[in-house]
Amino acid sequence: MAQLATSGTTVTLRVHRFSPKPARERDRARGGSPFARKSSPFGDAASRPVRRPRGRQWTQDYTLDVRGDETILDCLLTVKRTIDPTLMFRYSCGHGMCGSDAAAVNGTPTLLCKAKITDWAQQPPSVDDEGFRRTGDGDAPRMQTGEDGTQPGGLGIIELAPLPGFPVERDLIADIDTMLEQIKRLKPYLIADGTLATTEDGGVDVLPFLQTPEQLAKYEVLTTCITCGACEGACPVYAGGEAFVGPAALINQARFVNDSRDEATYERLEAIDTADGIQACQSVRACSRECPVGIDVGEEIWQLIAQVKEREA
Ligand code: SF4
Ligand code: FES
């Protein structure tokens, strides 16, 4: 167990690590020919089978001294700079704007930069001498120990793993290409009639594009989606995107379907009314619980289902 010895309370990050097999080794295992690849090099990412990366997996504990107001991303940066430069994770803005650092924290899809360690650190469950978890029956079982046999102190342990539902690239970095391809495939841009109204002096006349506050309210919250993938990670149907286009792509479409300026509503509803589109949604609504920008993802998808049905009527 790697440890940073400084003063203050401590937290232990228990990180699920993954190191992929080098590409050459993988190719040799398939006979050394690019034609031996299992997936077509010509298909788009959304139609390719989910890649199951091969490599070495292990769990590593990092115990470090912390202040109570630090985030998990702060701690990972400390680990990277002072303990283990090989630890891999992704981030960019550091304050909930870019969506690049979603990972599973104690199993829950969460942005690392918004997750306060005091909210997530937990003491490990007690186990008895046979290794079974105990639920506090007064037998005073001992606490679960770390890799080196010591009991965690301080704030406790935070378990970190890559975002569920996506193939892992390395350590905490998930490959979210399938989600981005699915969003791209459904035309994530405003489709107007292509004619710009002009003013008498030849400028662009913006008046036809003005909206009332009510029209804006129909989709404004949906524009705040940061494509973090937390909703996809929480969705039990998504699981890689083969059977279901996923909540993030549907939220992106809802944003345009509800925009009075978009003129492709019918085509958009047609495009998502497929077996792997909105029909695959089981309305579990786990997606709503994890959205870091507060979109009620399940409810928005439910509204989209109603619009798809209205179009059929
Ligand atoms: S809807 Fe929310 S959880 Fe889903 S990708 Fe957008 S911001 Fe992330
Ligand atoms: S680093 Fe940008 S959202 Fe967390």
Side-chain angles (χ1 to χ4, degrees):
M1 179 172 67
Q3 181 144 9
L4 180 67
T6 51
S7 61
T9 188
T10 60
V11 76
T12 298
L13 302 183
R14 181 159 290 168
V15 185
H16 291 241
R17 300 203 58 185
F18 175 76
S19 174
K21 238 186 204 175
R24 260 190 296 156
E25 237 181 273
R26 278 203 311 261
D27 286 348
R28 257 203 309 276
R30 291 182 189 136
S33 162
F35 300 107
R37 284 186 194 145
K38 283 184 188 148
S39 59
S40 162
F42 305 112
D44 65 8
S47 65
R48 282 201 300 263
V50 179
R51 283 185 288 126
R52 304 199 193 290
R54 303 262 164 82
R56 191 165 80 88
Q57 299 184 49
W58 73 104
T59 305
Q60 191 157 354
D61 282 3
Y62 300 96
T63 298
L64 61 159
D65 207 54
V66 286
R67 293 188 322 269
D69 61 349
E70 284 185 87
T71 64
I72 296 173
L73 178 62
D74 294 330
C75 296
L76 285 170
L77 287 168
T78 303
V79 170
K80 179 98 181 160
R81 287 167 186 155
T82 62
I83 304 176
D84 184 356
T86 68
L87 179 64
M88 297 292 187
F89 51 95
R90 184 168 50 209
Y91 82 105
S92 180
C93 69
H95 52 269
M97 300 293 289
C98 69
S100 63
D101 62 336
V105 179
N106 295 344
T108 302
T110 306
L111 295 182
L112 298 171
C113 65
K114 301 281 277 181
K116 286 264 174 342
I117 47 170
T118 42
D119 293 337
W120 290 95
Q122 55 190 17
Q123 293 298 327
S126 304
V127 291
D128 63 19
D129 289 340
E130 278 90 42
F132 292 108
R133 291 186 176 197
R134 303 292 291 265
T135 50
D137 57 1
D139 285 350
R142 63 183 166 79
M143 301 294 277
Q144 199 172 28
T145 55
E147 280 174 359
D148 62 352
T150 59
Q151 290 177 3
L155 294 170
I157 294 175
I158 302 174
E159 275 198 45
L160 300 175
L163 195 59
F166 297 95
V168 56
E169 279 189 350
R170 186 158 191 149
D171 295 341
L172 299 178
I173 302 175
D175 178 357
I176 57 169
D177 279 0
T178 42
M179 173 179 72
L180 300 178
E181 286 295 332
Q182 281 153 336
I183 291 173
K184 245 165 54 184
R185 211 157 40 100
L186 291 170
K187 302 189 179 156
Y189 43 82
L190 195 81
I191 300 178
D193 71 358
T195 319
L196 282 180
T198 49
T199 55
E200 278 179 9
D201 58 0
V204 175
D205 184 0
V206 294
L207 281 178
F209 304 107
L210 292 184
Q211 291 180 303
T212 63
E214 292 73 33
Q215 286 172 320
L216 177 63
K218 282 192 175 169
Y219 70 90
E220 191 174 16
V221 68
L222 302 174
T223 65
T224 61
C225 171
I226 53 176
T227 328
C228 65
C231 52
E232 317 245 323
C235 174
V237 188
Y238 183 71
E242 268 182 287
F244 180 31
V245 70
L250 293 177
I251 285 298
N252 183 274
Q253 285 306 292
R255 180 252 172 271
F256 294 105
V257 164
N258 291 314
D259 188 332
S260 60
R261 299 166 301 175
D262 192 90
E263 297 187 355
T265 303
Y266 185 84
E267 292 76 10
R268 290 188 192 282
L269 296 177
E270 279 279 300
I272 59 171
D273 190 12
T274 58
D276 62 348
I278 208 143
Q279 294 167 16
C281 175
Q282 303 294 309
S283 298
V284 177
R285 296 203 178 204
C287 48
S288 298
R289 286 203 300 270
E290 317 305 350
C291 178
V293 297
I295 297 175
D296 188 343
V297 183
E299 178 58 26
E300 295 293 344
I301 294 176
W302 188 247
Q303 299 292 337
L304 208 50
I305 292 171
Q307 284 166 288
V308 165
K309 293 215 166 106
E310 270 169 32
R311 154 195 135 274
E312 288 164 353

